[in-house]
Amino acid sequence: MIQALIFALALQAGQPQLAPEDEARAQALMREVRCMVCAGESVMDSNAPMAQDMRRYIREQVGAGAADPDVRQALVERFGHEVLMRPSFDARNAPLWIAPLILLMLGGALFVQAMRKPRTKA
């Protein structure tokens, strides 16, 4: 029991202590960043060692005064766009955003056309 307490205190001592408003910013960023090990979890929710490292990096950057977009960009440069829980809309991924809308409109047009067909008498 005492060993677990000492271990927890040692882990906590290694993380930078932030002001409450900076900690809130860091936690908001952690919710926006995907854990690269876990499927669909943010680094805030993951207990993977990589997520712990990413949380530490985010806290260090926020503590150093880095702006949120700069921290996000640094993570994107390191891990790729997949690291963001909410990917941005740009030319590279535009087809992924537009294709569902096109398919929905096409399906709607087919439905309307099917409903307008004249009924044949048997």
Side-chain angles (χ1 to χ4, degrees):
M1 176 91 153
I2 294 176
Q3 290 174 339
L5 181 60
I6 292 172
F7 182 69
L9 290 173
L11 283 177
Q12 207 172 30
Q15 295 183 2
Q17 296 298 320
L18 298 175
E21 61 274 359
D22 287 341
E23 182 63 29
R25 268 185 55 222
Q27 287 185 10
L29 278 168
M30 290 176 208
R31 285 186 199 94
E32 296 176 13
V33 175
R34 182 183 318 276
C35 175
M36 300 308 288
V37 176
C38 306
E41 278 190 300
S42 70
V43 296
M44 182 77 174
D45 300 326
S46 174
N47 288 326
M50 182 177 226
Q52 292 172 356
D53 291 341
M54 292 171 84
R55 285 194 300 264
R56 187 176 308 113
Y57 173 79
I58 291 170
R59 278 194 177 100
E60 288 171 358
Q61 293 301 307
V62 169
D68 292 358
D70 296 335
V71 176
R72 277 189 217 97
Q73 185 60 35
L75 290 167
V76 166
E77 288 172 6
R78 171 90 171 122
F79 299 104
H81 288 278
E82 297 80 24
V83 77
L84 299 176
M85 295 292 275
R86 290 178 286 176
S88 61
F89 181 83
D90 59 13
R92 192 180 66 109
N93 62 12
L96 296 174
W97 288 92
I98 296 171
L101 297 174
I102 292 171
L103 292 174
L104 184 63
M105 290 189 311
L106 181 62
L110 289 173
F111 178 75
V112 168
Q113 184 173 349
M115 296 306 287
R116 287 188 178 180
K117 276 190 176 181
R119 307 237 184 237
T120 59
K121 293 183 181 178

